[in-house]
Amino acid sequence: MKKLGILVSGRGSNMMAIINACEQGAISAEVELVISNNKDSLALVLAQEKNIETAYLGSSTHPDLEALDNAMNEALIAHDIDLVLLAGYMKKIGPKMLASFKGRIINIHPSLLPRHGGQGMYGLNVHRAVIDAGDKETGVTIHLVDGEYDKGAILAQKAVAVAADDTPESLAARVLKVEHVLFAETIQKIIDGSIILPGV
Ligand code: GAR
């Protein structure tokens, strides 16, 4: 059984979609470890309620970026993690972890990348940018993670129509439902070999 490590920063609805899909057998893997860079994130509480091991690793536990990178890397290696999922994780991944888990770190982003990605483009900011740009279509992207925000190879995308009366909040809610489905489907495709990642 493949072992998943999930990195989170906030409320963790994508993390829960993955945990539930594993429990229901829609993903043939186990979530072994959840790491948050935010000690107050709801995701940590939700993971603990599911008896999943959690760790808080962030700027107050490791003020030095290199030390933080090492600590995350070591925690993931100690849990024998096969695939690392960024599920609403808002920080860059350090070089140590990128090297150890090369081609095995994936991120979900709430737009059709390359549109509306990059630094500062997270959460409602993304949906506000979509509406401000007058886009008729947005969506969800699952991609490999490299050293830059939202830049790695795209593994899956799904479009969502933007309605004329959408607010950032209404759009975020509709896109989030698609995120939960596409993330789980894509992870299972990686695990069953329909999407081939070199390291998995
Ligand atoms: C999700 O919409 C995810 O796509 C987005 O943050 C939200 C986290 O929600 N990620 C980014 O914007 C990454 N740049 P969740 O904690 O409920 O899964």
Side-chain angles (χ1 to χ4, degrees):
M1 191 75 106
K2 296 282 186 196
K3 295 180 179 174
L4 307 179
I6 307 185
L7 271 55
V8 291
S9 297
R11 68 189 164 190
S13 77
N14 275 291
M15 175 201 77
M16 283 309 296
I18 295 161
I19 293 171
N20 290 333
C22 288
E23 279 182 0
Q24 290 156 11
I27 298 176
S28 33
E30 273 171 351
V31 179
E32 282 288 323
L33 178 65
V34 169
I35 299 176
S36 177
N37 67 313
N38 168 12
K39 72 172 169 14
D40 298 320
S41 62
L42 175 63
L44 282 179
V45 178
L46 295 174
Q48 284 156 7
E49 282 173 7
K50 290 284 186 181
N51 293 319
I52 293 167
E53 193 161 331
T54 60
Y56 158 53
L57 296 173
S59 53
S60 53
T61 62
H62 296 81
D64 176 59
L65 276 182
E66 198 180 325
L68 180 60
D69 183 17
N70 279 330
M72 285 209 175
N73 189 42
E74 279 162 22
L76 293 163
I77 290 172
H79 284 80
D80 214 7
I81 297 300
D82 296 296
L83 186 62
V84 180
L85 312 170
L86 311 191
Y89 182 70
M90 303 304 177
K91 296 280 180 188
K92 259 192 192 161
I93 299 300
K96 198 74 169 250
M97 200 179 128
L98 279 173
S100 315
F101 292 89
K102 193 170 164 47
R104 294 191 289 149
I105 308 175
I106 67 174
N107 180 46
I108 186 160
H109 185 80
S111 77
L112 294 175
L113 290 173
R115 282 190 77 67
H116 310 299
Q119 187 153 23
M121 276 298 173
Y122 57 85
L124 281 181
N125 294 349
V126 178
H127 304 293
R128 201 170 292 118
V130 167
I131 290 171
D132 289 350
D135 292 0
K136 298 279 176 284
E137 196 177 58
T138 183
V140 179
T141 302
I142 317 279
H143 66 95
L144 274 175
V145 173
D146 60 18
E148 288 182 75
Y149 286 108
D150 305 324
K151 286 280 194 209
I154 291 173
L155 303 174
Q157 285 188 310
K158 184 143 192 175
V160 173
V162 181
D165 61 352
D166 259 325
T167 61
E169 290 78 9
S170 68
L171 194 52
R174 223 160 51 251
V175 169
L176 191 63
K177 286 188 188 154
V178 177
E179 290 188 46
H180 296 162
V181 176
L182 189 69
F183 211 2
E185 276 176 11
T186 307
I187 294 162
Q188 180 55 21
K189 282 186 183 167
I190 292 168
I191 287 167
D192 73 19
S194 341
I195 294 176
I196 294 172
L197 296 188
V200 180

